Amino acid sequence: MAALLFSAVVSAQLSTDFYDETCPDALDIIESAVRAAVSKESRMGASLLRLHFHDCFVNANIIQKFRVDADGSVKQVGCDGSVLLDDTAAITGEKNAKPNKNSLRGFEVVDDIKSQLEDACEQVVSCADILAVAARDSVVALGGPTWDVELGRRDGTTASLDAANNDLPPPTSDLADLIKSFSDKGLTASDMIALSGAHTIGQARCTNFRGRLYNETNLDATLATSLKPSCPNPTGGDDNTAPLDPATSYVFDNFYYRNLLRNKGLLHSDQQLFSGGSADAQTTAYATDMAGFFDDFRGAMVKMGGIGVVTGSGGQVRVNCRKVN
């Protein structure tokens, strides 16, 4: 049987009611587990949201084709749960890629959710869908907007360390780099600015903001002074973290954009959204219009969640999110 070819745009046949008949309690199970995890540790909300982003962006390029082979194995896809795969003799996973190593968190929460779902409805809910729903529920748990998550993703059967190293925009990215990186995934500059608002929660490691802290002049002096003791130059404290939004670290709101207007973007890539460039107007609008930001964010999340997905009989539904069946 010849391999089937799918483009990033036409491969998606997702629906919001996908599990209504096959696993009616699926969304409640995920929501309950996410709320418990976020209640235990507020930072976990940002970690689960980030897992979905790092899953969707890797191995997904709008100009490529996405192949589901005759044996059901998936090549070159986006939101496919690949970020959850552990290394094996046959697969070098994405967890140790530079953007992910000592940084991605929440794998145990996903394991717990998957275990509960397997008890409720064996091998029905994909790991990729768990990530998509958990991202939404994390945002809601921290006071952000909700949206209807489109479901029906299948899990991929491979991962790519190289793709994770190359596809995820680094914190040193300039505005043009960010726009291109998102455009390569079929997302607009406006989508990029809205999705960047996810940095209203979460933290970053010293190694990712040291260059901005010591080499850039458009960083608020008071913030810089507060950061330097835990992030010395030129070395030391690499894994020490600071909040991406120092104002309301564990609330999903529009303070990320307000901070940028005050030169309080922690990462170089953050401050690029308000640095005299084409993103300034939208950033300024979001700083005063949280409802507008929420509307755009939910739309962009749905759009990102459809990048390069494989549905139907492609891929598989993993029993264990850490390994292929």
Side-chain angles (χ1 to χ4, degrees):
M1 177 177 169
L4 301 176
L5 294 180
F6 294 81
S7 74
V9 176
V10 302
S11 65
Q13 297 293 330
L14 305 177
S15 65
T16 58
D17 60 355
F18 188 80
Y19 295 113
D20 283 5
E21 299 296 329
T22 57
C23 195
D25 294 329
L27 298 187
D28 289 339
I29 289 170
I30 298 172
E31 180 186 16
S32 178
V34 168
R35 285 195 172 274
V38 173
S39 178
K40 183 178 180 180
E41 183 197 3
S42 297
R43 185 185 172 193
M44 189 54 66
S47 298
L48 292 171
L49 176 58
R50 190 163 178 250
L51 274 178
H52 181 44
F53 175 81
H54 281 227
D55 183 37
C56 289
F57 252 58
V58 173
N59 260 354
N61 192 312
I62 198 71
I63 64 173
Q64 294 176 339
K65 293 291 184 179
F66 300 83
R67 188 177 77 245
V68 183
D69 289 337
D71 63 0
S73 63
V74 179
K75 311 293 191 226
Q76 296 292 335
V77 296
C79 308
D80 66 342
S82 62
V83 71
L84 302 173
L85 289 172
D86 288 338
D87 289 356
T88 68
I91 296 174
T92 301
E94 299 164 15
K95 292 181 177 179
N96 287 316
K98 186 176 180 180
N100 297 337
K101 188 175 183 179
N102 300 321
S103 178
L104 281 188
R105 308 167 71 250
F107 298 109
E108 294 79 10
V109 176
V110 176
D111 291 340
D112 174 59
I113 293 171
K114 182 60 174 172
S115 177
Q116 293 185 51
L117 288 170
E118 286 300 304
D119 288 342
C121 38
E122 186 176 354
Q123 208 169 347
V124 172
V125 183
S126 70
C127 300
D129 275 351
I130 291 173
L131 291 181
V133 177
R136 186 271 311 273
D137 292 345
S138 294
V139 169
V140 174
L142 294 175
T146 189
W147 59 91
D148 291 330
V149 180
E150 296 182 337
L151 302 165
R153 298 166 189 80
R154 302 277 287 183
D155 295 324
T157 56
T158 188
S160 174
L161 179 72
D162 289 342
N165 279 323
N166 294 324
D167 288 356
L168 293 162
T172 54
S173 298
D174 290 332
L175 180 59
D177 300 321
L178 292 169
I179 292 172
K180 182 181 186 306
S181 179
F182 280 70
S183 176
D184 286 346
K185 316 302 177 186
L187 299 168
T188 66
S190 180
D191 293 330
M192 180 274 292
I193 298 167
L195 289 170
S196 295
H199 282 186
T200 193
I201 54 176
Q203 302 184 30
R205 297 162 62 224
C206 160
T207 187
N208 288 325
F209 61 81
R210 179 184 282 118
R212 170 158 166 74
L213 179 58
Y214 289 98
N215 300 323
E216 299 183 17
T217 59
N218 64 337
L219 176 61
D220 176 80
T222 301
L223 177 59
T225 298
S226 71
L227 292 171
K228 286 180 177 178
S230 62
C231 189
N233 191 45
T235 60
D238 282 4
D239 291 329
N240 291 338
T241 62
L244 290 158
D245 169 10
T248 55
S249 305
Y250 298 113
V251 179
F252 197 98
D253 54 24
N254 66 335
F255 270 75
Y256 169 77
Y257 301 101
R258 297 191 192 185
N259 294 334
L260 296 183
L261 269 57
R262 297 172 174 84
N263 285 335
K264 291 185 177 181
L266 182 63
L267 304 177
H268 174 83
S269 55
D270 289 329
Q271 197 59 53
Q272 285 290 293
L273 301 189
F274 190 77
S275 59
S278 60
D280 284 15
Q282 189 173 337
T283 296
T284 301
Y286 287 162
T288 57
D289 182 11
M290 188 161 70
F293 160 52
F294 280 6
D295 282 344
D296 290 350
F297 181 81
R298 61 166 61 97
M301 284 296 295
V302 171
K303 192 172 177 181
M304 185 191 77
I307 295 176
V309 300
V310 172
T311 57
S313 60
Q316 60 181 221
V317 174
R318 290 189 218 129
V319 175
N320 180 338
C321 290
R322 293 175 179 264
K323 60 184 182 180
V324 299
N325 296 339

